[in-house]
């Protein structure tokens, strides 16, 4: 009994230390210009069996479970933060990169893997499929806070959020062909359309259901709403996966719907999921770091083969995929070069590399080690130079400024009111008017105005200007009327309840 307690206490202590170290490494990653996920992986490798020996871990199934769970959280958070108006403008190139781009990358890398690793053609295509998609966790983490031009950033985020299902489909399909006798290539075509079509449909349905439930169920505590939203993300994935469709695609689509809807407690939900996504990243990359053994990874054979495959992936396969997938879509040469370089690989390939290990595919350990090395080099080389390349190519836009969200209603679940944030534009009907001349709906009060980072105390003769950030106290019955009054064309996009 005492021994069991000691094991539990030891596990909790290690978990706490890993989270603390993981959070602290994000600070160092910014200063060093290295993606945080690299440092998370290094923490796992150092604390693992081949490092300091604090944790002995070689369970591929557990790593896969943790990885998929974390990907659900990361994709959900990424979808929540993505504006539909931005994604809609880049839907065509994003979907082309997420489908045709993944296939082209898979084919080119498969040929290289066949020649360099000396594996069979099927094993080569398996390797190509595993590294064929860019990684949402890596792309979201690297682009967050960067001033990359909006269209390029949106294209990369939408591509990385939607190409994981394609890579997973190809990986699982190739494994099935390798280990299952009588598998039909033709049947895979039908499976593909089922997975993507049903995944898209369930994602939209669950997004609508989640939005309706959040807005119409009055819970006793405001802290329950973020948990409620997260539960819908997990439900969306599981319900979709159980019918044989793409759960990851469904989660991203549902998050897009929820994030672009008029939500109560919006910032509470967003901030909770942002923090939880960071925790999921720390947990996932650390465990994936534990799964690899440095003595096996950093051998001369793995290093030179992995480095060569990384170079081919970065400077041959990805550019071919980008240039062919975006023909006639309005991207210039510099933009295509940037899109090619920004195709980061991250957690998804490592998680997918556990599938052949669990299925008992021959050479699966070799595939895992080389994939891991490719991911490390991709994140280290590409991830640390994305912002530099964007500046050199002249593809940076104005620095993104996000006003701090510090106003919060206490016991919000019991209150019949919300504090909402609204940024005034030149098209806003009240722009240029004094507060005394504006007829607001009943139970509406302007609490504060932020103008050029200064706090303005609202008074009757205060004139509203474009760029002002208004903090508005509004009763729930008057909310829709206020939304329509201030933004009649797009009433669900500009508002952010706090």
């Amino acid at each position: 009994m005492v021994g069991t307690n000691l094991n539990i206490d030891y596990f909790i202590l290690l978990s706490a230390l890993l989270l603390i170290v993981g959070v602290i490494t994000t600070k160092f990653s910014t200063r060093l210009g290295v993606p945080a996920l690299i440092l998370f992986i290094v923490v796992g490798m150092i604390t693992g069996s081949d490092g300091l020996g604090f944790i002995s871990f070689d369970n591929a199934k557990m790593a896969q479970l943790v990885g998929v769970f974390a990907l659900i959280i990361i994709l959900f958070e990424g979808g929540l933060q993505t504006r539909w108006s931005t994604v809609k403008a880049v839907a065509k190139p994003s979907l082309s990169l997420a489908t045709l781009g993944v296939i082209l990358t898979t084919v080119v890398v498969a040929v290289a893997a066949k020649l360099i690793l000396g594996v069979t053609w099927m094993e080569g295509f398996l390797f190509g499929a595993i590294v064929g998609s860019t990684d949402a966790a890596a792309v979201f983490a690297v682009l967050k806070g960067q001033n990359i031009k909006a269209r390029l950033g949106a294209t990369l985020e939408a591509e990385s959020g939607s190409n994981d299902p394609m890579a997973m489909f190809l990986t699982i399909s190739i494994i099935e062909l390798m280990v299952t006798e009588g598998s039909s290539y033709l049947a895979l075509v039908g499976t593909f359309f089922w997975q993507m079509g049903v995944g898209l449909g369930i994602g939209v349905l669950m997004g609508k259901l989640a939005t309706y439930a959040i807005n119409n169920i009055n819970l006793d505590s405001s802290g329950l709403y973020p948990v409620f939203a997260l539960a819908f993300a997990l439900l969306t994935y599981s319900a979709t996966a159980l019918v044989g469709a793409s759960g990851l695609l469904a989660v991203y689509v549902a998050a897009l719907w929820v994030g672009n809807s008029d939500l109560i407690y919006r910032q509470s939900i967003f901030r909770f999921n942002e923090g939880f996504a960071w925790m999921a990243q720390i947990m996932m990359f650390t465990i994936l770091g534990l799964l690899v053994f440095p003595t096996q990874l950093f051998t001369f054979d793995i290093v030179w083969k992995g480095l060569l495959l990384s170079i081919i992936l970065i400077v041959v396969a990805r550019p071919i995929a980008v240039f062919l997938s975006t023909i006639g879509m309005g991207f210039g040469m510099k933009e295509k070069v940037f899109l090619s370089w920004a195709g980061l690989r991250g957690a998804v390939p490592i998680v997918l590399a556990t599938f052949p290990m669990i299925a008992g595919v021959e050479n699966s350990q070799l595939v895992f080690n080389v994939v891991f090395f490719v991911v490390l080099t991709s994140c280290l080389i590409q991830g640390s130079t994305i912002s530099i390349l964007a500046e050199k190519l002249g593809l940076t836009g104005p620095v993104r400024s996000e006003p701090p969200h510090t106003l919060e209603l206490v016991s919000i679940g019991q209150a019949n009111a919300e504090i909402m944030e609204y940024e005034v534009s030149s098209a806003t009907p009240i722009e240029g008017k004094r507060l005394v001349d504006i007829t607001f709906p009943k139970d509406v009060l302007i609490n504060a105005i932020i103008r050029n980072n200064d706090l303005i105390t609202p008074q009757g003769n205060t004139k509203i200007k474009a760029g002002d950030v208004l903090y508005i106290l509004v009763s729930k019955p008057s909310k829709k009327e206020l939304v329509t009054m201030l933004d009649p064309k797009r009433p669900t996009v500009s508002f952010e309840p706090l």
Side-chain angles (χ1 to χ4, degrees):
M1 184 69 177
V2 175
T4 302
N5 290 336
L6 285 175
N7 289 335
I8 294 173
D9 295 340
Y10 182 67
F11 174 78
I12 294 174
L13 174 63
L14 284 176
S15 299
L17 291 175
L18 286 176
L19 283 175
I20 290 172
V21 172
V23 171
I24 293 174
T25 56
T26 61
K27 190 72 175 178
F28 287 105
S29 71
T30 304
R31 293 182 178 179
L32 296 174
V34 177
L37 59 90
I38 287 287
L39 299 181
F40 299 156
I41 289 175
V42 170
V43 168
M45 294 169 66
I46 291 174
T47 56
S49 303
D50 260 9
L52 298 177
F54 289 153
I55 304 175
S56 178
F57 183 83
D58 61 354
N59 191 328
K61 285 187 177 180
M62 179 60 68
Q64 184 185 109
L65 173 63
V66 172
V68 171
F69 181 85
L71 287 175
I72 295 170
I73 308 304
I74 294 164
L75 278 175
F76 186 67
E77 193 268 339
L80 287 177
Q81 300 286 354
T82 303
R83 289 188 179 275
W84 171 245
S85 57
T86 305
V87 172
K88 185 179 179 180
V90 297
K92 189 176 180 180
S94 298
L95 289 176
S96 181
L97 286 167
T99 51
L100 178 60
V102 172
I103 294 173
L104 290 172
T105 303
T106 298
V107 172
V108 175
V109 174
V111 174
K114 161 68 177 172
L115 299 175
I116 295 170
L117 299 179
V119 294
T120 65
W121 277 112
M122 288 300 290
E123 290 169 345
F125 275 99
L126 176 62
F127 183 88
I130 289 173
V131 298
S133 72
T134 58
D135 184 68
V139 171
F140 290 155
V142 171
L143 292 184
K144 186 170 289 186
Q146 300 291 339
N147 60 332
I148 309 298
K149 280 190 174 180
R151 186 170 186 244
L152 289 175
T155 300
L156 288 169
E157 290 184 359
E159 176 202 2
S160 64
S162 57
N163 67 6
D164 292 344
M166 186 68 180
M168 182 170 285
F169 166 76
L170 289 175
T171 300
I172 294 175
S173 297
I174 293 171
I175 291 175
E176 183 179 342
L177 291 172
M178 294 174 69
V179 301
T180 306
E181 293 184 6
S183 296
S184 169
Y185 289 93
L186 188 60
L188 296 180
V189 177
T191 303
F192 170 77
F193 286 105
W194 171 266
Q195 287 203 7
M196 302 306 161
V198 175
L200 178 64
I202 294 180
V204 172
L205 180 63
M206 293 302 291
K208 290 182 177 181
L209 179 61
T211 302
Y212 179 83
I214 292 169
N215 286 336
N216 289 277
I217 297 179
N218 189 22
L219 302 175
D220 292 335
S221 171
S222 61
L224 292 174
Y225 286 92
V227 179
F228 198 37
L230 180 61
F232 273 101
L234 299 175
L235 177 63
T236 299
Y237 176 85
S238 57
T240 310
L242 285 174
V243 297
S246 177
L248 294 179
L249 177 62
V251 168
Y252 187 68
V253 171
L256 271 176
W257 189 282
V258 173
N260 287 275
S261 298
D262 186 17
L263 279 185
I264 58 174
Y265 324 122
R266 183 185 186 88
Q267 290 305 323
S268 296
I269 293 171
F270 277 34
R271 293 295 172 260
F272 172 86
N273 280 282
E274 183 180 15
F276 200 67
W278 270 111
M279 190 175 78
Q281 286 190 57
I282 293 172
M283 176 177 64
M284 173 176 61
F285 286 115
T286 302
I287 287 182
L288 292 176
L290 289 171
L291 189 62
V292 72
F293 293 89
T295 54
Q296 298 178 12
L297 181 67
F298 297 109
T299 61
F300 177 75
D301 189 57
I302 295 296
V303 169
W304 83 261
K305 289 179 179 179
L307 191 58
L308 185 54
L309 283 168
S310 295
I311 294 172
I312 292 172
L313 174 63
I314 295 171
V315 303
V316 180
R318 172 67 178 179
I320 288 175
V322 169
F323 276 75
L324 293 181
S325 299
T326 57
I327 292 175
M329 296 185 186
F331 289 106
M333 177 62 69
K334 290 183 178 180
E335 292 174 319
K336 289 184 179 181
V337 169
F338 179 77
L339 289 173
S340 300
W341 189 256
L344 275 75
R345 270 59 189 176
V348 172
I350 302 177
V351 173
L352 291 179
T354 63
F355 283 72
M357 295 176 68
I358 295 172
V361 173
E362 190 176 356
N363 290 321
S364 59
Q365 187 62 53
L366 171 65
V367 169
F368 179 86
N369 288 335
V370 178
V371 166
F372 200 98
F373 190 86
V374 168
V375 168
L376 285 178
T377 53
S378 172
C379 290
L380 194 58
I381 296 172
Q382 294 171 280
S384 59
T385 56
I386 281 182
S387 58
I388 298 173
L389 181 64
E391 290 178 6
K392 294 292 184 182
L393 295 175
L395 299 176
T396 54
V399 178
R400 301 176 187 177
S401 59
E402 295 184 7
H405 307 286
T406 55
L407 299 179
E408 194 85 34
L409 280 181
V410 181
S411 301
I412 202 167
Q414 299 296 329
N416 195 35
E418 301 172 18
I419 294 181
M420 304 179 68
E421 177 188 87
Y422 176 77
E423 184 171 353
V424 179
S425 70
S426 57
T428 303
I430 65 170
E431 196 271 335
K433 296 182 179 180
R434 298 184 305 165
L435 287 178
V436 70
D437 299 326
I438 301 172
T439 304
F440 285 105
K442 182 182 177 183
D443 299 327
V444 172
L445 178 65
I446 307 293
N447 279 3
I449 301 173
I450 304 298
R451 180 178 298 162
N452 298 325
N453 294 322
D454 292 327
L455 174 65
I456 305 296
T457 302
Q459 297 178 358
N461 61 353
T462 301
K463 184 179 289 187
I464 303 298
K465 297 182 178 181
D468 286 352
V469 178
L470 310 181
Y471 290 93
I472 309 169
L473 179 64
V474 54
S475 66
K476 292 179 182 177
S478 300
K479 181 180 175 182
K480 288 186 178 180
E481 187 179 352
L482 175 66
V483 169
T484 304
M485 171 190 171
L486 293 180
D487 203 348
K489 293 183 179 180
R490 292 192 301 165
T492 64
V493 174
S494 300
F495 284 89
E496 297 191 359
L498 298 176

